[in-house]
Amino acid sequence: MREITFPRGREIVLGVGAGIAAYKSCDLLRRLQDHGFLVTVIPTPSSLNFVGKATWEALSGRKVNTDVWENIPAVPHVSLGAKADFLIIAPATADLIARIAAGRADDLLTNTVLTTLAPIILVPAMHPQMWQNQATAANVALLRSRGIHVLEPAVGRLTGDDIGIGRFPETSEIIAKFLEISQSNCDLLGRKILITAGGTREAIDPVRYIGNRSSGKQGYALAFAAAKRGAIVELIAANSTIPDIEGITTIHVESADELDLVVRDRFPEADALLMCAAVADAKPNQYSDSKIKKSALSQIELTTNPDILANIAKKRRSNQVLLGFAAETDSDLLTFGKAKLLAKGVDFLYVNQVSQGAIFGSDLTSGYILDREGGAAKVEEVSKDTLSEILLDNVVERLRYANV
Ligand code: CTP
């Protein structure tokens, strides 16, 4: 078993230009953290005249560099941009906008802008005349044409006696715009979601096992989608060949007994269990340490595996949500599904048709989401990513209801 932990879908680089509004970015940083984002600040060297490195390091809890000549072995001008899911530059001054438009790379922030593939959002703040100057207007138009999101500055009081367009917008407006652009949904923020994926293998001898055709794709898709919504995800993967996802704690298991052990250990802390793994229903009575000769293979005595989901459902708290999966080859999906939902004691069961090789290893899925109130929502030919979002919407709704 091995574990990895990285944040995923929630890494932000906050670039800070040399405008007086830099101090307002301290609040922006805090509010982004409230939404579960992890923030690395890259101030331009001259912005440190307004807010110093110590403030950014204290607020972000991370090391702060301003130019490419610091921390060379970490190659920060590439690594920060590569790790970022979003880049927000606030405030973006006229000079910084001009440098980005020209493709300059004269400090760490502009280097990062050039190397990142993440969406970029600029929050301009400057004197009205600078904002309305033709050079700035042309630069903004150029950046927008390149797909960079440049927000409109607010109108109001500026430094000194001036009033006009160029104010740094309210933090809440920037956050709302950011969530809209990034399509970041934070409705699972801080929730602990336990997900199982793949298929168990029951060893017969050192070379043979009883297994199934589950690829793990649906469980991994669910894990990724839940993490993007701000959940703390633990993924228990049974024999999947899919690489670990950054930001998701992944525990690798092989057999149903191992899976059972980890589920029972992790479940008490979870808000929801999404039991996507295909569990082998039986295992050999006895594992043979040496390879069994084929002459002795005509009969293998089997014993049933624990029903992990049904057992855990008996121990659930009322505010924990349980989702099971059922792959059926029979045409009467709904009847089988409803009976299984009740037998397992889950809130939801996603039941799908897997005859003729459909679903396993495929990227598309069709089926029904059954709930314990008797509901049956049809899902037709959607990607496993889309199904994940639909299932998580249901889980979110049930969690909200479960906690009142
Ligand atoms: N499951 C489980 N432990 C088992 C078997 C299944 O936890 N020993 C879980 C699966 O992860 C899935 C759900 O139960 O979420 C339904 O799995 P399925 O294989 O369809 O159920 P079975 O109880 O094995 O029913 P069947 O007789 O149809 O195989």
Side-chain angles (χ1 to χ4, degrees):
M1 290 185 202
R2 64 207 151 87
E3 294 194 11
I4 57 149
T5 313
F6 290 93
R8 178 70 207 223
R10 311 199 74 76
E11 271 290 345
I12 291 183
V13 163
L14 176 62
V16 182
I20 177 64
Y23 81 91
K24 294 186 176 174
S25 251
C26 299
D27 184 49
L28 178 61
L29 187 160
R30 275 290 194 235
R31 300 292 79 80
L32 287 167
Q33 290 171 328
D34 290 346
H35 281 78
F37 293 99
L38 293 126
V39 186
T40 302
V41 184
I42 311 182
T44 62
S46 47
S47 79
L48 298 179
N49 289 305
F50 289 113
V51 179
K53 239 187 201 188
T55 303
W56 293 125
E57 290 193 341
L59 291 176
S60 68
R62 289 177 166 186
K63 187 114 196 69
V64 169
N65 292 322
T66 60
D67 74 49
V68 280
W69 305 113
E70 298 165 296
N71 199 14
I72 299 282
V75 203
H77 73 289
V78 178
S79 61
L80 291 172
K83 201 169 93 171
D85 295 300
F86 309 101
L87 219 121
I88 303 177
I89 300 180
T93 59
D95 175 65
L96 187 50
I97 288 172
R99 286 194 289 129
I100 295 171
R104 298 281 299 267
D106 38 14
D107 55 25
L108 184 58
L109 178 56
T110 45
N111 269 273
T112 306
V113 169
L114 288 182
T115 54
T116 193
L117 295 175
I120 302 173
I121 299 170
L122 301 188
V123 186
M126 64 195 76
H127 189 274
Q129 250 125 39
M130 295 174 95
W131 174 249
Q132 283 160 343
N133 183 286
Q134 283 185 17
T136 307
N139 287 331
V140 167
L142 184 63
L143 292 180
R144 284 180 173 153
S145 74
R146 290 178 186 158
I148 292 182
H149 302 274
V150 185
L151 306 196
E152 283 298 312
V155 178
R157 207 187 132 209
L158 299 140
T159 348
D161 299 331
D162 293 330
I163 292 177
I165 186 164
R167 255 175 80 86
F168 193 76
E170 292 303 320
T171 307
S172 55
E173 279 169 37
I174 300 172
I175 296 271
K177 201 79 196 151
F178 163 67
L179 293 177
E180 183 192 314
I181 292 169
S182 64
Q183 295 188 327
S184 281
N185 189 341
C186 305
D187 56 9
L188 280 173
L189 189 61
R191 293 291 198 177
K192 291 189 175 158
I193 309 292
L194 184 61
I195 300 171
T196 68
T200 67
R201 286 180 186 173
E202 314 303 317
I204 298 168
D205 65 21
V207 295
R208 303 184 183 92
Y209 60 83
I210 298 170
N212 59 67
R213 297 178 55 185
S214 178
S215 65
K217 280 184 182 174
Q218 184 62 69
Y220 273 72
L222 264 172
F224 187 53
K228 281 203 302 180
R229 289 175 174 222
I232 301 158
V233 178
E234 280 190 326
L235 177 64
I236 314 174
N239 309 297
S240 175
T241 54
I242 301 171
D244 289 350
I245 303 175
E246 284 189 6
I248 290 170
T249 302
T250 306
I251 304 164
H252 292 269
V253 298
E254 191 174 324
S255 65
D257 282 333
E258 270 178 48
L259 180 62
D260 186 34
L261 205 68
V262 184
V263 168
R264 281 192 286 123
D265 180 54
R266 306 309 306 143
F267 181 69
E269 281 179 36
D271 292 299
L273 167 65
L274 318 182
M275 191 75 189
C276 205
V279 184
D281 291 314
K283 61 182 170 221
N285 256 350
Q286 227 179 343
Y287 171 75
S288 165
D289 282 332
S290 54
K291 189 180 166 198
I292 304 172
K293 288 287 163 206
K294 66 179 172 204
S295 53
L297 266 178
S298 61
Q299 209 174 351
I300 300 168
E301 295 283 326
L302 298 179
T303 179
T304 51
N305 268 324
D307 190 325
I308 304 172
L309 189 55
N311 290 343
I312 214 82
K314 288 179 194 138
K315 297 186 190 143
R316 68 187 287 186
R317 297 188 305 271
S318 61
N319 60 357
Q320 287 177 303
V321 174
L322 262 67
L323 163 70
F325 285 75
E328 303 290 347
T329 51
D330 212 286
S331 54
D332 198 359
L333 286 189
L334 285 177
T335 314
F336 275 103
K338 282 176 183 169
K340 197 170 274 184
L341 177 135
L342 292 177
K344 300 271 176 184
V346 293
D347 300 285
F348 300 106
L349 190 81
Y350 178 66
V351 51
N352 58 11
Q353 222 355 312
V354 291
S355 50
Q356 285 126 34
I359 308 303
F360 285 124
S362 151
D363 286 322
L364 291 182
T365 171
S366 301
Y368 290 91
I369 301 171
L370 309 181
D371 63 43
R372 67 168 178 214
E373 288 76 29
K378 197 167 174 27
V379 176
E380 245 173 319
E381 291 264 310
V382 296
S383 71
K384 291 184 176 179
D385 291 335
T386 303
L387 177 67
S388 301
E389 298 297 346
I390 300 170
L391 291 171
L392 289 176
D393 287 344
N394 281 283
V395 170
V396 166
E397 197 53 35
R398 180 80 48 154
L399 277 173
R400 202 173 287 141
Y401 167 78
N403 281 284
V404 286

